[in-house]
Amino acid sequence: EVQLVESGGGLVQPGGSLRLSCAASGLTISPYAMMWVRQAPGKGLEWVSSINSGGDRTYYGDSVKGRFTISRDNAKNTVYLQMNSLKPEDTAIYYCNAFYSDYNYWGQGTQVTVSS
């Protein structure tokens, strides 16, 4: 069974940092592009960031550019999202996604709350 398990969410004050992890089991992520998307309360899904299979190309949404960094460790079968300078508007459930050809897998999400 393929599973993507996100972790690292929590409550943080504005200006703080969190590092999200997405650990895969039941598949090897090395051929997969990976991305993070989020869903704020009462809103739709928002794409946050993507990384290619080799890890040498990264992409970011305008709202997080310069503050978030996506990375991957294929040996650990894990993708990360380093989030700095967090703002209240970053509050959302963050989901990890793996996609390759016809294959598309989602994690269950991790809650990030930015509040004083």
Side-chain angles (χ1 to χ4, degrees):
E1 179 188 7
V2 174
Q3 282 191 316
L4 298 178
V5 179
E6 300 95 335
S7 61
L11 174 63
V12 63
Q13 291 187 341
S17 298
L18 283 174
R19 188 195 196 202
L20 305 183
S21 298
C22 171
S25 61
L27 87 162
T28 301
I29 70 167
S30 53
Y32 287 78
M34 305 291 293
M35 69 175 173
W36 290 92
V37 298
R38 66 187 182 185
Q39 187 167 28
K43 296 189 176 181
L45 288 175
E46 178 190 9
W47 169 72
V48 174
S49 181
S50 299
I51 187 167
N52 70 333
S53 58
D56 59 331
R57 282 179 283 178
T58 57
Y59 309 90
Y60 300 93
D62 288 342
S63 62
V64 306
K65 200 172 295 182
R67 300 187 297 122
F68 291 11
T69 303
I70 191 171
S71 62
R72 64 192 295 159
D73 186 336
N74 287 344
K76 293 184 178 180
N77 232 22
T78 302
V79 176
Y80 305 96
L81 186 68
Q82 177 67 44
M83 306 186 297
N84 299 329
S85 302
L86 283 161
K87 304 175 181 180
E89 50 264 43
D90 294 318
T91 294
I93 300 174
Y94 284 71
Y95 298 93
C96 172
N97 174 267
F99 57 98
Y100 169 70
S101 184
D102 294 333
Y103 301 96
N104 195 338
Y105 301 105
W106 290 91
Q108 84 293 344
T110 186
Q111 176 71 47
V112 171
T113 302
V114 185
S115 176
S116 55

